[in-house]
Amino acid sequence: MFQLKDYQKRSLEALRTYFRRANDLDDADMAYYQVTGSTMGQRLPYNPVPGLEGLPYVCVRIPTGGGKTFVAAHAVGAATEDLLGADQSVVLWLVPTTTILEQTLSALQDPDHPYRRALEQESPSPIRVVDVQNALEVSRATLDNKTTVIVSTMQAFRVDDTEGRKVYEDSGTLMDHFRSLDPSLTDELECYENDQPKRSLANVLALRRPIAVVDEAHHARTDLSFETLSRFRPSGILEFTATPHQEEDRRSNVLVSVSAAELKTEEMIKLPIELTVYQPWTELLNLAIEERDRLEEKAQAEEQATGEHIRPVMLIKAEANRGTDPITYEKVEETLQEDFNVPEEQIAVATGDRDDLDDVDILDRSCPIRYVITVQKLGEGWDCPFAYVLCSVAAMRSNQAVEQMVGRVLRMPDVTRKQHDALNKAYAFAADEEFATALRSVRDVLVENGFEPLEAEQLVQESGQQRQSEAPLFNQSSGDDGTPTQEPSVEIETTETPDLNQLPDSTRQKVDADPSTGTVTYRGTMNNEERDALKKCFSDPDVRYQVGQAQQRLQEKRGGRVTPPAEQGSSFEVPRLAVQQGDAFETFRETHIKDTDWRLSDFEPTLPGYEPNLPQGQRGAVDTDEEGELSIRFLDNVRRQLTLLSGDQQWSVSELVHWLDCSIPHPDVRPQDSIAFLERLVQGYLLDGQGYSLDVLVRDKYRLKRAVESRIDEHRAAAHEQHYGRMLFGGDGASSVTVTPEVCFEFGEDYPYTSLYDGEYEYVNHYYGPDRIGQMNQEEAECAFFLDRQPDIEYWVRNLEQNRKHGFWLQTASGKFYPDFVCKCTDGRTLVVEYKGEHLMDAPDATEKENVGAVWADRSEGRCGFVMVGADGYREKIEDSLP
């Protein structure tokens, strides 16, 4: 069974948080404002759907190959429970093409498919998945008792004139849906002149207020698309795409954004893409075939080592049969067979008039196909992890021609990194006159598939196999007149006269000092040893910093980059807080805090702050905003409508208590203890004490569940905090928490940032290089720049927040603390810096973080230092903490 990746969990948690806040606030705009401030580091303006103001409408951005559909399937249950507060829902799942429709419908209907399992895992009720044709006959009982997912293309509903479309026509088979309706439910339905509602599927959807899931949402951005959705009066719109629309008039409300680095770290995609440019096309094809054959040898070795079967497949993009002497699929097929002796059974053609892949399982071990020739048909909806090589015999100047095809070679087989590194990459071959054009085109395609521009620059690599007659694109600098020069140079400004005699002879020949102008000129290459030797010639820290920048500029002039410490193999280990268990040590973590006996029934069964969220119809249909203007409470109206449709829920107190006990995870609380607490809470506090009726609590049971779960978490946290304090600061367990070199966190090769820093500062000493720095706000960036310039800091890392595998953390009583910066000092010590904005310096968690940081530093016996700083005096505090 597929397991959710960390970035997928983060996406779903952001959605759940948004649903809950939108529900509690009945304000889609404010909920978005609050959530994006924590998930994306910035608060963005909310873009409502015209005519559906108040509608929760958000987008999840995941690059191609990241499992958008898997996340969407999980999101259905989350929206049903946390947005609607219902046991079941109607879901309108919209896709852009019939090909994707067939694939999605098949996957969601297959009980063994991960997408279907994801639907069932998250849903409070049974699942039924249908297409539009079957939805035209769906019964009222089905919608009353099951979450019903209707999979369709947008085109099936998107029309200016509804005449002649079955989803808008009266149907006797849907008659039961309109019997005994509350009159208020028909107000916004399409009705006949006698005010009787038309018995159409469109009206059934409008009654049920469907959750709209829009897959590949960048295809559904027209005014007509939104007008179409508004006909069904959705309760929420969830977009999933790699490329959200960003133009102001139709900007997607991106709630959470996933980076390519996160996908690569989770072994979801093959990266980098190795690009080869060559002509003529027959020789290019030869190179691509040799690469595919080499990969098959690696795949056979991989299978011997791991048992995993991989058959590398090449996608060949031919030209359409038009123009002068086009390279058609027939010509490519003939060349493969006659010039390269490729057996006929290994070749498949997939075009508009021929489809050799129909009903073929290309992943089957017995399938012989190794070459797939296409023109455009594989643009979307074809998913083959065995696809490793993309060969375009047509020019690659237009990224529209290959926009989605690049995505077809990115998916990693079995979502597992391979032992043979060649199988962890993708390969692109282009018959393009201009290498630069082809390179730019492939990078543009990656951006079109959801990658950030900076990521795309890093993820496309030159293979070194372009035509020998061409000079490499980036291997020399040019003078002002365009004349190539093999010895680029840089100038370093200084007021001191450096002692260059201490340099090795080979380095000394590259350096000229001119005291009259206060400049030092360095010519040629500068490796790390030469950089460090030149730094020692200066006493001024600012000049030493300039030397590091000079090395970077030289590399850029030569079309390369300075190899950062992480890629040089430089170790960066940081001691953790540890717990001694017998003769061994292990990381001090949450499980040690939870290892304590506590009784829920010892705490007061109260629920401060909870009030049942009754539908607005029971309190008045409208409200007023701060300016006194009338405003409709959108989600209140949705809940009211769904309440009128649902049957009576005649539960007893014991049934509600049992439901709460089963719905709230509490493995650390004994059943009899939780039942006793919940009975006192429901009967004693809510019914007898607060005077709520049982039927009101039952109708609000999902919000009640969240409130009770939160209250239990508070009691649990109080018990854990007491135990944490005893372990860390006193009592018998204090001596078991220590810092030892035996238990360390190590920054590895992967650095799965959520987004990259793209501000004004230029850094030199980041462990992963200046082009791989996680996002920082302005104040953090200023602090990082100060750290970057310190001569006593060898290198530093912008620590990744909420990334337990790739970020350094310290355990607190309430969770994990990820400090902002971790620095490796020149004397081997580790300095950790936490930057707090002034408005956060007095926050409760700031004291908790400062305390655990101080304990970590104190018990390291001088190996580690910790400092919490703000805008006021951070330079002095950091300098005082350095050697």
Side-chain angles (χ1 to χ4, degrees):
M1 182 176 178
F2 280 19
Q3 297 296 319
L4 285 166
K5 303 296 184 180
D6 284 348
Y7 68 85
Q8 293 171 332
K9 293 177 183 176
R10 178 169 64 85
S11 300
L12 286 168
E13 185 56 37
L15 281 170
R16 281 194 176 275
T17 302
Y18 175 75
F19 295 152
R20 292 171 181 176
R21 293 189 182 180
N23 206 323
D24 292 340
L25 298 169
D26 207 342
D27 190 331
D29 188 333
M30 180 57 69
Y32 179 75
Y33 178 85
Q34 291 179 357
V35 177
T36 53
S38 58
T39 62
M40 299 178 66
Q42 54 185 322
R43 290 178 169 85
L44 302 172
Y46 183 77
N47 191 34
V49 176
L52 290 174
E53 288 77 9
L55 172 81
Y57 160 51
V58 290
C59 175
V60 175
R61 174 193 176 274
I62 300 178
T64 297
K68 294 187 295 293
T69 308
F70 188 49
V71 175
H74 277 278
V76 167
T80 302
E81 179 176 332
D82 293 319
L83 183 65
L84 301 182
D87 292 328
Q88 63 281 320
S89 63
V90 174
V91 179
L92 190 56
W93 190 304
L94 299 170
V95 298
T97 66
T98 54
T99 300
I100 297 179
L101 166 64
E102 293 167 359
Q103 293 177 342
T104 303
L105 185 65
S106 174
L108 293 179
Q109 289 179 332
D110 181 355
D112 295 325
H113 197 283
Y115 295 172
R116 176 58 181 245
R117 292 182 178 180
L119 279 176
E120 294 175 341
Q121 178 182 336
E122 299 288 347
S123 176
S125 62
I127 298 289
R128 186 182 180 195
V129 179
V130 297
D131 59 12
V132 172
Q133 190 62 38
N134 286 312
L136 291 167
E137 301 178 355
V138 70
S139 70
R140 182 171 183 171
T142 295
L143 301 189
D144 283 343
N145 296 286
K146 294 182 178 181
T147 288
T148 304
V149 181
I150 303 172
V151 185
S152 172
T153 62
M154 179 69 81
Q155 292 89 320
F157 298 98
R158 187 170 54 197
V159 288
D160 287 311
D161 183 2
T162 60
E163 189 69 29
R165 288 294 182 102
K166 287 188 177 297
V167 294
Y168 299 103
E169 292 180 352
D170 191 279
S171 172
T173 58
L174 299 174
M175 183 183 301
D176 192 44
H177 292 275
F178 301 93
R179 295 184 190 277
S180 305
L181 287 181
D182 187 284
S184 64
L185 294 178
T186 64
D187 290 345
E188 297 186 45
L189 300 183
E190 184 180 3
C191 295
Y192 294 108
E193 291 182 358
N194 61 0
D195 294 331
Q196 291 300 309
K198 182 182 287 188
R199 296 166 299 184
S200 65
L201 178 59
N203 270 348
V204 171
L205 291 172
L207 273 175
R208 295 287 174 167
R209 307 303 296 266
I211 300 164
V213 174
V214 187
D215 195 10
E216 302 291 353
H218 54 284
H219 290 285
R221 306 299 309 170
T222 65
D223 289 341
L224 184 56
S225 295
F226 285 103
E227 290 172 10
T228 299
L229 284 175
S230 68
R231 291 174 182 149
F232 310 121
R233 304 173 66 210
S235 57
I237 299 177
L238 312 182
E239 293 185 339
F240 294 87
T241 181
T243 53
H245 197 77
Q246 293 302 311
E247 293 184 16
E248 191 63 30
D249 60 335
R250 274 289 181 269
R251 188 186 63 254
S252 293
N253 297 318
V254 179
L255 187 75
V256 60
S257 183
V258 174
S259 73
E262 292 176 278
L263 267 61
K264 182 181 179 184
T265 298
E266 293 284 7
E267 303 176 351
M268 295 289 289
I269 53 179
K270 315 179 192 97
L271 285 175
I273 297 175
E274 192 172 282
L275 176 66
T276 298
V277 180
Y278 212 93
Q279 279 194 347
W281 71 270
T282 51
E283 294 186 25
L284 175 83
L285 192 60
N286 182 45
L287 288 174
I289 292 171
E290 289 177 353
E291 185 65 69
R292 199 218 65 82
D293 291 344
R294 181 180 74 91
L295 290 171
E296 181 148 346
E297 292 178 2
K298 299 292 184 182
Q300 292 169 354
E302 185 80 16
E303 184 170 11
Q304 290 180 355
T306 67
E308 180 184 1
H309 172 69
I310 300 173
R311 178 181 6 92
V313 170
M314 181 196 301
L315 302 184
I316 306 173
K317 184 182 184 304
E319 294 180 332
N321 191 9
R322 56 177 177 265
T324 304
D325 194 24
I327 308 171
T328 62
Y329 76 80
E330 294 96 341
K331 188 176 293 186
V332 173
E333 183 177 24
E334 180 181 346
T335 301
L336 285 174
Q337 294 184 31
E338 295 187 2
D339 294 355
F340 298 106
N341 299 317
V342 176
E344 180 180 0
E345 65 271 15
Q346 293 186 7
I347 304 171
V349 174
T351 67
D353 57 0
R354 176 178 164 188
D355 189 1
D356 297 340
L357 294 176
D358 190 32
D359 295 328
V360 172
D361 182 4
I362 202 167
L363 301 181
D364 189 274
R365 183 182 291 269
S366 62
C367 178
I369 294 173
R370 286 162 171 80
Y371 301 88
V372 176
I373 309 171
T374 185
V375 177
Q376 291 181 339
K377 189 174 180 182
L378 293 182
E380 280 190 301
W382 188 76
D383 183 9
C384 177
F386 283 0
Y388 268 86
V389 181
L390 171 61
C391 181
S392 176
V393 298
M396 293 185 68
R397 289 182 178 86
S398 170
N399 53 342
Q400 288 184 350
V402 290
E403 176 179 336
Q404 293 295 332
M405 287 192 69
V406 167
R408 305 286 77 80
V409 298
L410 290 181
R411 302 174 192 274
M412 180 72 80
D414 203 32
V415 196
T416 306
R417 186 172 179 84
K418 312 309 172 192
Q419 292 185 8
H420 294 79
D421 193 55
L423 297 173
N424 296 318
K425 301 177 183 178
Y427 302 83
F429 292 79
D432 198 320
E433 287 287 351
E434 299 290 337
F435 175 78
T437 302
L439 182 66
R440 190 178 304 112
S441 177
V442 172
R443 287 172 177 166
D444 288 346
V445 169
L446 286 175
V447 173
E448 291 292 333
N449 278 273
F451 297 87
E452 296 290 349
L454 281 175
E455 293 176 323
E457 289 291 327
Q458 299 167 22
L459 299 177
V460 178
Q461 295 183 354
E462 177 189 352
S463 71
Q465 293 219 48
Q466 75 243 47
R467 289 196 307 265
Q468 296 302 309
S469 60
E470 289 186 356
L473 180 64
F474 301 124
N475 74 339
Q476 57 187 8
S477 63
S478 299
D480 294 338
D481 60 355
T483 303
T485 172
Q486 297 300 323
E487 295 296 334
S489 64
V490 293
E491 289 186 350
I492 301 167
E493 296 182 0
T494 176
T495 57
E496 63 179 295
T497 302
D499 179 10
L500 302 180
N501 293 325
Q502 59 181 296
L503 292 173
D505 290 342
S506 58
T507 306
R508 175 68 184 84
Q509 295 173 4
K510 301 179 181 182
V511 185
D512 290 321
D514 187 347
S516 64
T517 60
T519 59
V520 173
T521 303
Y522 190 101
R523 292 183 176 83
T525 59
M526 183 189 293
N527 59 34
N528 292 344
E529 290 75 17
E530 291 169 323
R531 177 201 62 197
D532 294 340
L534 186 57
K535 281 184 177 182
K536 293 177 181 178
C537 297
F538 301 94
S539 59
D540 188 338
D542 286 340
V543 179
R544 291 182 179 182
Y545 187 74
Q546 284 188 57
V547 173
Q549 291 181 311
Q551 181 194 31
Q552 191 167 300
R553 293 200 303 272
L554 283 169
Q555 289 295 107
E556 290 170 352
K557 287 185 176 185
R558 302 179 68 86
R561 56 191 283 269
V562 176
T563 304
E567 295 177 24
Q568 296 176 31
S570 299
S571 174
F572 195 174
E573 292 188 344
V574 184
R576 292 185 183 273
L577 275 177
V579 174
Q580 186 168 3
Q581 301 283 10
D583 295 332
F585 292 92
E586 59 184 46
T587 301
F588 176 51
R589 61 180 71 244
E590 192 175 18
T591 52
H592 300 107
I593 304 171
K594 291 181 176 180
D595 187 19
T596 181
D597 289 329
W598 71 288
R599 289 176 54 84
L600 179 59
S601 56
D602 289 341
F603 291 86
E604 287 296 316
T606 59
L607 209 55
Y610 169 75
E611 292 183 10
N613 197 346
L614 303 178
Q616 188 75 354
Q618 296 177 253
R619 296 181 303 188
V622 295
D623 203 349
T624 58
D625 60 22
E626 294 180 357
E627 285 73 34
E629 299 291 332
L630 292 180
S631 62
I632 299 173
R633 294 176 61 82
F634 182 89
L635 286 172
D636 266 352
N637 286 345
V638 172
R639 286 190 294 270
R640 174 179 177 274
Q641 181 168 336
L642 295 179
T643 297
L644 290 174
L645 279 171
S646 64
D648 291 336
Q649 294 179 289
Q650 299 295 331
W651 286 20
S652 65
V653 171
S654 61
E655 286 173 322
L656 178 57
V657 167
H658 177 73
W659 183 86
L660 289 169
D661 187 55
C662 293
S663 300
I664 299 172
H666 50 76
D668 55 343
V669 180
R670 296 181 181 88
Q672 60 269 30
D673 191 25
S674 63
I675 291 291
F677 175 83
L678 292 171
E679 285 177 342
R680 291 163 59 204
L681 178 68
V682 173
Q683 184 66 62
Y685 179 77
L686 293 173
L687 296 178
D688 298 339
Q690 301 298 310
Y692 299 126
S693 65
L694 180 59
D695 68 310
V696 164
L697 295 181
V698 171
R699 291 191 184 280
D700 196 48
K701 62 180 180 291
Y702 283 103
R703 284 188 67 257
L704 174 61
K705 184 197 85 168
R706 292 200 303 271
V708 174
E709 187 173 15
S710 177
R711 188 60 170 162
I712 292 175
D713 285 343
E714 290 176 9
H715 294 330
R716 179 183 290 112
H720 289 170
E721 187 172 0
Q722 293 177 1
H723 184 54
Y724 178 83
R726 290 192 297 269
M727 292 189 70
L728 210 60
F729 302 111
D732 295 339
S735 61
S736 65
V737 179
T738 185
V739 175
T740 170
E742 296 183 37
V743 179
C744 288
F745 167 80
E746 183 174 8
F747 288 100
E749 177 184 347
D750 293 320
Y751 183 65
Y753 47 80
T754 301
S755 57
L756 287 169
Y757 171 73
D758 59 354
E760 61 183 289
Y761 293 105
E762 296 182 3
Y763 301 93
V764 172
N765 296 317
H766 191 253
Y767 181 66
Y768 292 100
D771 51 359
R772 294 175 68 197
I773 303 177
Q775 188 58 262
M776 300 178 284
N777 62 37
Q778 180 64 23
E779 290 187 14
E780 292 168 341
E782 290 176 4
C783 181
F785 192 58
F786 180 75
L787 294 171
D788 198 61
R789 298 176 69 91
Q790 298 309 302
D792 294 321
I793 294 177
E794 186 174 356
Y795 42 78
W796 58 279
V797 167
R798 169 54 164 136
N799 198 32
L800 297 176
E801 297 181 27
Q802 305 306 315
N803 194 312
R804 56 187 176 83
K805 296 179 182 177
H806 302 281
F808 171 71
W809 51 265
L810 296 170
Q811 183 66 47
T812 67
S814 56
K816 291 178 171 59
F817 161 40
Y818 296 81
D820 292 312
F821 306 107
V822 183
C823 311
K824 176 70 173 295
C825 298
T826 53
D827 66 351
R829 292 174 65 242
T830 300
L831 174 64
V832 164
V833 179
E834 168 69 0
Y835 189 96
K836 285 286 185 186
E838 290 304 314
H839 64 294
L840 297 174
M841 287 297 287
D842 296 327
D845 72 326
T847 300
E848 184 180 31
K849 291 175 179 178
E850 191 164 24
N851 287 340
V852 71
V855 168
W856 170 74
D858 179 65
R859 297 187 186 173
S860 71
E861 298 180 349
R863 295 187 299 273
C864 305
F866 174 87
V867 58
M868 179 177 286
V869 300
D872 185 19
Y874 71 84
R875 292 174 174 82
E876 293 79 5
K877 291 182 180 179
I878 291 174
E879 287 176 340
D880 290 344
S881 302
L882 290 170

